[in-house]
Amino acid sequence: MRITILTLFPEMYDSFINTSIIKRAINKNRIEIECINIRDFTKDKHNHVDDTPYGGGAGMLMQIQPVLDCLNSCRNENSYVILTAPIGKIFKQKIAREISKHEHIIIICGHYEGIDARINKYVDEIISIGDYVLTGGELASMVISDAIIRITDGVILEQSHEDESFENGLLEYPQYTKPYDYNGDVVPDVLLSGHHENIRKFRLSESLKITKENRPDLLEKREFTKEELDILSNL
Ligand code: ADE
């Protein structure tokens, strides 16, 4: 998979690309990430890429010309083009799975007050990472890229995805590692029992409990097995 990021601030990606799992995925040739500086495409003699909004209002808007020329320089028939903006669809694990099927993903990052709205018809999808406004789409593009990269084949163990939060419509159960006893706070004994069926039941019950407490909206959308309904009725 190849991810191309169109931004005015490519330097923001230096540590993202050079750290931990993302760095390893690049070194193993599982993914390729390139950043293109939108400013390199401006035709303005002072290198400006923004201007004031028609109709008035605060702040500056990115102009369509450098953004579109930048997009046209890297898009091909296999590219899937995403624009990051607060007006977009809220990003979810399911959307990450859909996007990860494309072999070339282009993410356009708006900055300042965003981009001239005429850009919208050149993109496949507009995505927001949450109901808040960032200074630019760069952090959003890293969030989206990170979520896509970690579910790309060969980046992390396939097994790691199975019980993960959101994969089965529930939040993940709590996990523990050594030491067994930390200042008197001990790991639940069932996890040391070696009894796989009891461990599965314990984890399912904990998943349901934490989802009910923190994200009851997820439970409203989900269908339950008989076992899950029995657990829920006792919570
Ligand atoms: N740009 C500014 N705010 C944003 C958000 N919440 N999601 C995606 N892009 C953004």
Side-chain angles (χ1 to χ4, degrees):
M1 182 208 294
R2 190 154 64 89
I3 301 177
T4 304
I5 297 183
L6 315 190
T7 172
L8 288 174
F9 300 97
E11 66 278 9
M12 283 181 74
Y13 296 84
D14 291 348
S15 54
F16 176 64
I17 289 170
N18 286 305
T19 309
S20 184
I21 293 171
I22 307 298
K23 178 182 180 179
R24 199 157 10 109
I26 294 170
N27 289 343
K28 285 201 288 179
N29 292 325
R30 299 290 173 184
I31 55 148
E32 235 179 277
I33 303 185
E34 60 178 338
C35 295
I36 306 184
N37 194 333
I38 295 170
R39 197 178 296 279
D40 292 344
F41 292 82
T42 181
K43 292 186 172 142
D44 179 271
K45 62 174 184 290
H46 302 294
N47 264 359
H48 290 158
V49 288
D50 56 357
D51 211 325
T52 52
Y54 278 114
M60 300 290 271
L61 272 186
M62 285 170 68
Q63 295 167 291
I64 188 160
Q65 175 271 315
V67 180
L68 199 51
D69 285 354
C70 184
L71 177 60
N72 289 335
S73 77
C74 62
R75 123 182 264 175
N76 63 46
E77 64 281 7
N78 295 321
S79 308
Y80 190 72
V81 182
I82 295 167
L83 171 66
T84 54
I87 62 159
K89 251 193 267 171
I90 296 283
F91 190 56
K92 300 263 162 72
Q93 190 68 17
K94 200 164 155 231
I95 298 182
R97 289 230 166 263
E98 286 303 314
I99 296 173
S100 70
K101 293 178 187 153
H102 296 275
E103 68 183 60
H104 182 215
I105 298 153
I106 299 176
I107 309 182
I108 307 174
C109 306
H111 215 88
Y112 312 118
E113 288 302 309
I115 306 176
D116 183 316
R118 286 172 286 186
I119 191 67
N120 296 1
K121 60 174 172 286
Y122 298 94
V123 310
D124 295 303
E125 193 165 10
I126 306 178
I127 294 183
S128 162
I129 60 161
D131 291 342
Y132 39 79
V133 182
L134 303 165
T135 55
E138 283 75 15
L139 289 173
S141 76
M142 286 184 229
V143 168
I144 295 165
S145 302
D146 190 286
I148 296 167
I149 291 166
R150 67 187 293 286
I151 53 176
T152 299
D153 283 349
V155 172
I156 56 174
L157 281 181
E158 199 60 31
Q159 236 179 326
S160 311
H161 304 307
E162 283 169 11
D163 289 333
E164 221 161 57
S165 291
F166 311 112
E167 288 296 348
N168 63 356
L170 297 175
L171 300 182
E172 193 181 13
Y173 46 78
Q175 304 218 65
Y176 306 86
T177 186
K178 294 180 186 68
Y180 167 71
D181 183 335
Y182 185 68
N183 293 343
D185 197 357
V186 299
V187 173
D189 281 331
V190 63
L191 298 176
L192 289 82
S193 68
H195 194 301
H196 297 300
E197 179 57 9
N198 285 351
I199 292 173
R200 185 194 65 78
K201 281 188 191 150
F202 170 78
R203 287 179 163 168
L204 176 60
S205 168
E206 290 293 301
S207 256
L208 286 163
K209 202 189 310 173
I210 198 161
T211 308
K212 189 175 175 201
E213 271 169 27
N214 293 348
R215 292 293 304 276
D217 57 305
L218 293 179
L219 296 184
E220 280 159 27
K221 294 182 208 140
R222 195 169 175 278
E223 293 187 1
F224 298 100
T225 62
K226 161 105 181 44
E227 181 186 27
E228 290 167 348
L229 285 173
D230 287 346
I231 297 170
L232 277 169
S233 66
N234 288 315
L235 287 181

